[in-house]
């Protein structure tokens, strides 16, 4: 709950105490009032904006009370500056406003022309034009101005409401009163809100979309005539709806008319904080991942990203081109950092024109959710994910069952798997990743320096689909293999070597010796460049002998030039799904004899029971 502390300032005799008394008593007090009233607090039950507590502090302008005034000013968050005649008006610019600045007090100031009932022959418009606008132009701290009369009980509630509104619905973050334009932060927020309400992304909010927006924010409906009046007032001629610029002009019109609380209602409904950034709890909701679990998209999350893809594939070519991607990510800070580091869109599936396909789009979000679920939650918020379910954006994600002992039999209940591709330089790892994304083979060799990533879906036997993330580690290989957390996140290792290069397999042998912790991960051995002549490896054991010695399947011989290379990816995914089938077993590894001990125990108990029964039978 917010608190508003109003410091009522001004020269003696301008009616400060009378304004406060009229508010409290709901009428003008004709009798004598004490010079300075004690602090008064308005409870939130009196219909204050956003249900805030409001403290009103009366002050004295006497020089001997200056210390007390200074303390009260530094505690307040809004100042009500009152004047009532020409002399006290002149003192606003000559003394009061400079005095506030000298104290370093930077809070909104509400300028109040009191005792207007004593001013003959003047109207409100004339006072605003001649008195208030010039001083507002000189001092940007002045938030708004108003004429009041305690005797006539005119604008008494309104003046204190303005003070409250200056804190609960501040105009300063929204509007540049000097240049008379919306500030960039407000414009950016309103553009995003327009984007989220333009459901068909045709650049216009049609009548249904306007009505939906009105109901979401204000819980009210508009008549057809009211909708037409809005469009006629702010949209270009000939447009069939409310365009983006018209939507922004409409909100600026609200501010210029002193109705900036309306704009704040819109902003807060779409989870904007007072800083005009999305609320932290909305962008990053609490989402805990149990140990040994991973995070995947839920069916709701998949549906959201599918619908988003179909909505922005404007030319219906089955791919998102650069302009369509730019339009899709318009309400966000841009591509996620993870995507940039992974060299998106080259890390996922694209069509012949180089545009990201639906398959590649979903694979990319599966990888993001697996590696950085907080990033997915953040972008779900930016992109307008909505649900009636409790939990908000977290309903678009789900956590998998904790992964138990990897060497134990059984299936891992996951649909997204991470595979590290390890091997010597020029062994064909990058070509393997390229084949995974259906890229044409190229003979040009580019050494991998930065990590190389490829993500795609894989169809397992039986028709079940999963997603596989292939990581070629590049120069970060040592750092990643020494990081136990990174190894724990990995589901399968793919040891790749060049079957035509005599020194290629030796790198794998040395790698496993250098990092014995790799033995704790399931692994698949792959002999690449099988289209070339096979050569003898400069190792003590040849690859087939090496794997057989560990009671593992021999290397898969494949080539990026062969269509059958897709079988490697299926094998990797299935090995990650059933990891116990892809673990090395050393000759000196002790055998688990628990089943034999249990069987022997059962047999012994059975024999003992038989002997007891036989003895009782013969004794009888």
């Amino acid at each position: 709950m917010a608190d508003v502390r109003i410091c009522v300032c001004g020269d003696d005799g301008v009616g400060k105490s009378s304004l406060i008394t009229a508010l409290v008593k709901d009428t003008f007090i004709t009798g004598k009032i004490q010079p300075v009233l004690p602090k008064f607090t308005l409870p939130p039950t009196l219909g204050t904006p956003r249900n805030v507590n409001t403290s009103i502090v009366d002050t004295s302008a006497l020089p001997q009370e200056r210390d007390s005034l200074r303390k009260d000013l530094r505690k307040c968050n809004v100042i009500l500056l009152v004047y009532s005649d020409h002399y006290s008006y002149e003192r606003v610019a000559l003394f009061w406003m400079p005095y506030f600045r000298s104290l370093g007090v930077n809070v909104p100031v509400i300028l109040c022309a009191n005792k207007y009932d004593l001013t003959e022959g003047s109207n409100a418009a004339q006072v605003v034009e001649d008195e208030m606008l010039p001083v507002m132009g000189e001092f940007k701290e002045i938030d708004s101005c108003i004429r009041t009369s305690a005797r006539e009980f005119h604008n008494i509630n309104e003046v204190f409401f303005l003070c409250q509104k200056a804190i609960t619905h501040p105009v300063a973050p929204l509007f540049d009163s000097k240049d008379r334009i919306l500030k960039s932060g407000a414009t950016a927020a309103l553009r995003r809100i327009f984007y989220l309400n333009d459901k068909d992304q045709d650049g216009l909010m049609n009548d249904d979309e306007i009505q939906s927006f009105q109901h979401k924010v204000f819980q009210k409906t508009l008549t057809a005539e009211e909708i037409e009046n809005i469009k006629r007032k702010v949209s270009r001629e000939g447009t069939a709806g409310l365009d983006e610029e018209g939507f922004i002009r409409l909100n600026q019109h609200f501010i210029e008319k002193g109705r900036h609380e309306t704009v704040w209602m819109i902003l807060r409904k779409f989870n904007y904080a007072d800083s005009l950034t999305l609320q932290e709890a909305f962008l990053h909701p609490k989402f805990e991942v149990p140990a040994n679990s991973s995070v995947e998209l839920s069916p709701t999350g998949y549906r959201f990203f599918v619908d988003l893809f179909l909505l922005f594939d404007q030319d219906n070519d089955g791919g998102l081109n650069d302009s369509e991607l730019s339009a899709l990510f318009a309400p966000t800070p841009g591509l996620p950092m993870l995507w940039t580091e992974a060299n998106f869109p080259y890390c996922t599936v694209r069509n012949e024109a180089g545009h990201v396909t639906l398959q590649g789009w979903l694979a990319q979000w599966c990888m993001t959710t697996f590696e950085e679920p907080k990033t997915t939650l953040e972008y779900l918020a930016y992109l307008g994910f909505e649900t009636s379910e409790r939990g908000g954006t977290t309903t678009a994600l789900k956590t998998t069952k904790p992964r138990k002992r990897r060497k134990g039999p059984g299936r891992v209940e996951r649909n997204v798997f991470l595979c590290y591709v390890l091997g010597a330089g020029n062994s064909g790892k990058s070509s393997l990743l390229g084949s995974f994304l259906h890229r044409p083979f190229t003979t040009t060799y580019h050494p991998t320096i930065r990590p190389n990533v490829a993500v795609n879906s894989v169809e397992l036997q039986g028709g079940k689909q999963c997603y596989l993330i292939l990581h070629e580690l590049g120069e970060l290989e040592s750092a990643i293999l020494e990081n136990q957390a990174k190894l724990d996140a990995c589901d399968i290792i793919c040891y790749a070597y060049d079957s035509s290069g005599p020194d290629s397999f030796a790198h794998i042998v040395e790698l496993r010796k250098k990092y014995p912790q790799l033995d704790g991960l399931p692994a698949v051995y792959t002999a690449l460049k099988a289209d070339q002549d096979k050569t003898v490896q400069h190792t003590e054991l040849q690859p087939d002998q090496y794997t057989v010695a560990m009671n593992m399947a021999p290397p898969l011989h494949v080539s990026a030039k062969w269509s059958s290379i897709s079988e490697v990816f299926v094998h990797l995914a299935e090995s990650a799904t059933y990891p116990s089938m892809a673990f090395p077993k050393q000759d000196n590894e002790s055998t688990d004899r628990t089943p034999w001990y249990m069987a022997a125990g059962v047999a012994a108990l059975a024999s003992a029971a038989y002997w007891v029964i036989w003895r009782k039978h013969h004794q009888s």
Side-chain angles (χ1 to χ4, degrees), residues 142-360:
I142 299 179
D143 186 271
S144 55
C145 54
I146 188 172
R147 296 178 77 205
T148 61
S149 170
R151 184 181 297 277
E152 301 290 335
F153 203 79
H154 178 72
N155 282 344
I156 301 301
N157 291 324
E158 287 77 3
V159 68
F160 288 100
F161 179 78
L162 280 178
C163 294
Q164 295 168 325
K165 195 167 69 169
I167 301 305
T168 60
H169 303 94
V171 70
L174 305 177
F175 192 66
D176 187 327
S177 56
K178 184 175 181 180
D179 295 332
R180 310 297 296 171
I181 58 172
L182 286 174
K183 292 186 176 180
S184 58
T187 302
L190 291 170
R191 289 191 191 281
R192 175 179 172 273
I193 291 171
F194 178 87
Y195 164 101
L196 297 179
N197 288 278
D198 181 16
K199 300 298 185 182
D200 54 9
Q201 288 299 309
D202 64 348
L204 297 172
M205 284 174 63
N206 58 39
D207 290 4
D208 289 339
E209 290 167 342
I210 292 174
Q211 200 70 269
S212 176
F213 170 80
Q214 177 75 10
H215 188 267
K216 176 183 175 71
V217 178
F218 305 107
Q219 291 78 49
K220 296 179 182 178
T221 57
L222 297 172
T223 65
E225 182 179 357
E226 288 172 329
I227 292 176
E228 288 303 317
N229 287 338
I230 292 172
K231 292 189 292 186
R232 186 165 49 249
K233 183 179 296 184
V234 295
S235 292
R236 300 189 308 270
E237 290 187 14
T239 56
L242 181 64
D243 62 10
E244 185 181 87
E245 294 305 319
F247 180 73
I248 292 173
R249 282 196 299 273
L250 178 64
N251 282 278
Q252 180 167 335
H253 175 75
F254 288 143
I255 294 173
E256 291 172 338
K257 293 296 183 182
R259 294 175 55 194
H260 39 279
E261 71 273 12
T262 301
V263 180
W264 276 115
M265 287 179 68
I266 295 170
L267 291 168
R268 286 170 178 149
K269 190 64 179 180
F270 285 89
N271 298 289
Y272 280 92
D274 291 350
S275 60
L276 293 181
T277 58
L278 288 174
Q279 297 169 10
E280 180 65 19
F282 177 63
L283 276 182
H284 304 116
K286 185 177 181 181
F287 186 78
E288 296 181 354
V289 182
N292 300 319
S293 293
S294 63
V295 185
E296 299 176 2
L297 291 174
S298 69
T300 306
Y302 276 112
R303 172 48 54 189
F304 174 77
F305 285 116
V306 168
D307 291 344
L308 204 61
F309 180 96
L310 297 176
L311 178 61
F312 282 89
D313 182 18
Q314 297 286 335
D315 52 12
N316 295 315
D317 67 343
L320 295 177
N321 58 40
D322 290 345
S323 62
E324 290 168 343
L325 280 171
S326 178
L328 191 156
F329 281 101
T332 75
L335 291 178
M337 183 63 69
L338 177 66
W339 292 27
T340 304
E341 293 172 351
N343 200 25
F344 177 84
Y346 302 100
C347 61
T348 193
V349 186
R350 298 176 295 157
N351 59 21
E352 294 179 355
H355 304 158
V356 179
T357 64
L358 177 59
Q359 180 183 356

Side-chain angles (χ1 to χ4, degrees), residues 431-446:
S431 295
L432 180 69
L433 268 66
S435 298
F436 189 42
L437 301 177
H438 312 300
R439 295 180 193 159
F441 175 76
T442 176
T443 57
T444 306
Y445 172 63
H446 298 286

